């Protein structure tokens, strides 16, 4: 099973506690992504994506998209596949270390 790079995992770990502070979880838990359960789900989805697409890995703000998908879809695997579709097909080049797609749109 592919693993995300240690650099990506360190970046993911750094951003876990910064993700949607104060937002309630799917069962009404306070500050869900500061809890071990919320962080574990987010870590799984982001780590799986970083391993699945090592060219993109993990990029700034991807944690917010993944968190919203987890909250709305209530399923890590479904959240992963929707994230993969968004990053790879809907917004290609936005989630890339160069932020190339974003730079084009801002030009």
């Amino acid at each position: 099973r592919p693993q995300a790079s240690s650099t990506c995992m360190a970046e993911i770990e750094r951003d876990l506690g910064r993700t949607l502070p104060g937002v309630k979880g799917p069962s009404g838990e306070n500050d869900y992504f500061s809890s071990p359960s919320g962080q574990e789900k987010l870590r799984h989805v982001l780590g799986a994506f970083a391993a699945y697409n090592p060219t993109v890995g993990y990029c700034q703000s991807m944690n917010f998209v993944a968190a919203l998908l987890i909250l709305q879809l209530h399923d890590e695997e479904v959240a992963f596949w929707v994230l993969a579709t968004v990053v790879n097909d809907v917004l290609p080049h936005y989630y890339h270390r160069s932020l190339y797609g974003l730079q084009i749109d801002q030009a």
Side-chain angles (χ1 to χ4, degrees):
R1 179 169 146 187
Q3 297 290 315
S5 74
S6 59
T7 301
C8 283
M9 290 311 296
E11 291 173 0
I12 290 168
E13 287 298 324
R14 185 181 61 232
D15 283 348
L16 290 176
R18 304 179 197 181
T19 304
L20 302 180
V23 171
K24 291 185 183 268
S27 300
E29 310 91 333
N30 288 323
D31 207 11
Y32 184 61
F33 292 105
S34 290
S35 74
S37 173
Q39 287 188 1
E40 180 179 5
K41 289 179 189 227
L42 193 54
R43 182 181 298 112
H44 288 166
V45 172
L46 294 171
F49 181 82
Y52 172 74
N53 187 337
T55 301
V56 172
Y58 173 73
C59 294
Q60 182 179 358
S61 82
M62 195 180 283
N63 56 320
F64 295 108
V65 176
L68 290 171
L69 293 172
I70 290 166
L71 290 173
Q72 294 301 311
L73 302 172
H74 308 285
D75 184 297
E76 289 178 39
E77 185 176 356
V78 174
F80 162 78
W81 285 113
V82 173
L83 178 66
T85 299
V86 168
V87 172
N88 296 333
D89 301 328
V90 178
L91 297 172
H93 307 294
Y94 271 71
Y95 291 98
H96 188 273
R97 295 205 177 270
S98 69
L99 300 175
Y100 181 67
L102 182 62
Q103 290 175 14
I104 289 173
D105 277 355
Q106 289 179 342

